[in-house]
Amino acid sequence: MRPSRPMTLALALAAACAPAAPPAMTDAEAVTAAAAVWDRYATALTTADVAAYLALYDPGAALDIMGQPPLVGHAALEPVARQAFATNRYTGLQIAPDWTDAVHADQIHQAGAYVETYTQGDRAMTDYGRYGTALVRGADGQWRITYLIALTDSTVSAP
């Protein structure tokens, strides 16, 4: 059965008005976008900027750090960040991705290794670990962490 002219016109108009799918993202673009997030992350850590740190996370983001209860959302992340910045002076963050995958135009998955340096009182500390993350692009075009899991690497000897 053939659709009527009004039905054909309605379908054509609906298709023309539908939002266009975002253009595909290459893995190279995903690597660049993720690197920019980690640069902002390192700056937030080393300047102890809680607002900048929270801005890196999607409002409903989940954070799983080995040995700590899972955190979900800014309300859960903020007191933990404030306590970490009050207790530790972060001096550096190095991110070494093993892979980065452009899932689609607005989502990136990445996993790799990290090295985080900080002082706790007078003691210099270095944490080595592995991470996995999902990044999403918000309506404002900014990439944010929607999920992050960090695991301390027990195979690296303490200095």
Side-chain angles (χ1 to χ4, degrees):
M1 180 170 141
R2 192 175 142 186
S4 67
R5 285 188 189 257
M7 176 63 83
T8 303
L9 180 58
L11 290 172
L13 285 172
C17 294
M25 180 186 347
T26 67
D27 285 342
E29 291 170 323
V31 166
T32 300
V37 169
W38 295 124
D39 286 345
R40 292 187 351 250
Y41 197 101
T43 299
L45 282 180
T46 58
T47 60
D49 186 338
V50 174
Y53 178 80
L54 291 175
L56 291 161
Y57 288 90
D58 188 68
L63 176 62
D64 287 321
I65 298 178
M66 188 171 119
Q68 297 182 15
L71 302 170
V72 178
H74 285 187
L77 289 169
E78 184 175 359
V80 173
R82 287 192 187 285
Q83 178 63 34
F85 291 152
T87 307
N88 305 310
R89 188 175 63 79
Y90 293 90
T91 55
L93 176 68
Q94 296 175 334
I95 297 291
D98 291 332
W99 58 265
T100 304
D101 185 22
V103 179
H104 55 72
D106 294 321
Q107 188 169 20
I108 298 168
H109 292 171
Q110 186 179 72
Y114 69 89
V115 178
E116 186 177 69
T117 55
Y118 55 100
T119 57
Q120 202 170 55
D122 292 336
R123 186 170 175 207
M125 308 286 286
T126 302
D127 287 345
Y128 300 89
R130 310 280 307 150
Y131 74 94
T133 193
L135 306 172
V136 293
R137 182 173 17 210
D140 62 359
Q142 287 291 313
W143 286 96
R144 291 182 180 84
I145 299 164
T146 192
Y147 180 72
L148 176 62
I149 185 168
L151 307 165
T152 303
D153 190 346
S154 62
T155 63
V156 176
S157 302

